[in-house]
Amino acid sequence: MTSDASTVAIAALMDAVSLLRGEVAALARSNARIEESQEQLRRRIDVIDTGIAPLCDVVPYQEAILAKTVDGHADTHAWLKALAPVLHNLIERSDADRVTTRSLHQDIIRTQEIAGAGEKGTADIALGLEVIAGRLDVAASANRKDRRAGVAKTLELIGFTRAAVLGQRGPLPIDVEDDPLMERFILAQPADLSSNERALVDWRKAIAGTSAEDLITLLEKQQTPSPTDTPESRLLRYRLAAITRAKIEERGAVPPPRPTTTRATDRSAGSGFLRSQELAELWRQGESTELYAESELAGAIDLFDALEEKLEPTSGDVVQPELTALHRDLAKRIELGERPSLGESRSTTQHEPTITVEPVKDR
């Protein structure tokens, strides 16, 4: 009987050892999966760091370009100085990406420390690592896409900057100049007093005899972001505002402070409707200083001027019926939220003036 009891005890002990071996093997396999996931996360972090690194070299590269500047043209240096905050903003954004990456890396390290506690909680640890890996993968994919676009715009900006340094200044592409990174430059840009662009020329003439008090009122309106603007009209708006500011300072007055953004926070349908009603009413009132101050009406003015130039001049103050019809048509389109411009109607202006107004827009 004693022999039987010993045999049973030994058999039970062997079963316990076999079970323990199975548990140890399962734990080893789990730890192997955790280590593999950690290695994949490390590789992804290395990829992110590799992508961020070139952005940090943008400012030294820009400084190297500026260091080679021989011509000491004051306007060029002022333009480049205003451009510096854009590059610093880009570096700050890259630094924010690095902080996020380091935070994820710290989460991985803490998970590794917990993993050494044993079998208990292994499933939760593995699940946590999967969540971290998924989030990091999504973030890395989005960051890579945004970073490629950011680097492309930055390199394009550097190219135009280098051309300006060499005396070959030219307008930036709309998508580059309207990028949020350029907002501080747009708000602080110097007044363009030499451009022959129609809107700028007309505005310089319109405010030649305007008082400083009226100019301050106009500038406050110009510096208010519009809920219905486009990149083109938004950029033109702050070019007009820069001229207004310069004229106020020329008169010895103090202009109102610059806004903090060029973009309207409320772009809802309701605010857009009210803005269109306001612009349509201003258009119906006819020629005025306020009319030329509105960048969103610049396209309609171009259309009206193009037709006026094609018509035969009349004696006295007689207004041609074609101009009257076009003026009413443009007012209706502006009221409905459209912003007509010369480019979109170029094909129709090639015909006779009597059919300049599109039939589909007939009231």
Side-chain angles (χ1 to χ4, degrees), residues 186-191 203 207 210-226 236-250 253-261 275 289-290 292-295:
I186 297 301
L187 294 173
Q189 64 180 305
W203 181 236
I207 63 174
T210 308
S211 66
E213 291 76 11
D214 292 338
L215 288 176
I216 290 175
T217 302
L218 288 169
L219 180 57
E220 290 175 345
K221 182 64 176 177
Q222 284 177 325
Q223 291 186 155
T224 303
S226 171
L236 177 58
R237 166 182 291 275
Y238 292 96
R239 293 178 70 192
L240 296 173
I243 295 175
T244 311
R245 177 178 292 275
K247 181 60 69 173
I248 293 173
E249 294 173 345
E250 181 183 308
V254 179
R258 290 180 173 85
T260 57
T261 181
R275 175 63 173 161
T289 305
E290 291 78 7
Y292 290 108
E294 281 294 348
S295 62

Side-chain angles (χ1 to χ4, degrees), residues 58-68 88:
V58 168
V59 171
Y61 178 61
Q62 185 73 5
E63 292 174 350
I65 294 176
L66 300 182
K68 296 180 180 179
H88 286 295

Side-chain angles (χ1 to χ4, degrees), residues 177-221:
E177 191 172 0
D178 189 54
D179 191 278
L181 289 173
M182 291 287 289
E183 204 165 46
R184 290 172 63 182
F185 169 72
I186 297 301
L187 294 173
Q189 64 180 305
D192 188 348
L193 303 177
S194 60
S195 173
N196 58 1
E197 186 176 341
R198 197 278 312 159
L200 300 184
V201 172
D202 285 355
W203 181 236
R204 291 197 297 264
K205 292 179 180 178
I207 63 174
T210 308
S211 66
E213 291 76 11
D214 292 338
L215 288 176
I216 290 175
T217 302
L218 288 169
L219 180 57
E220 290 175 345
K221 182 64 176 177

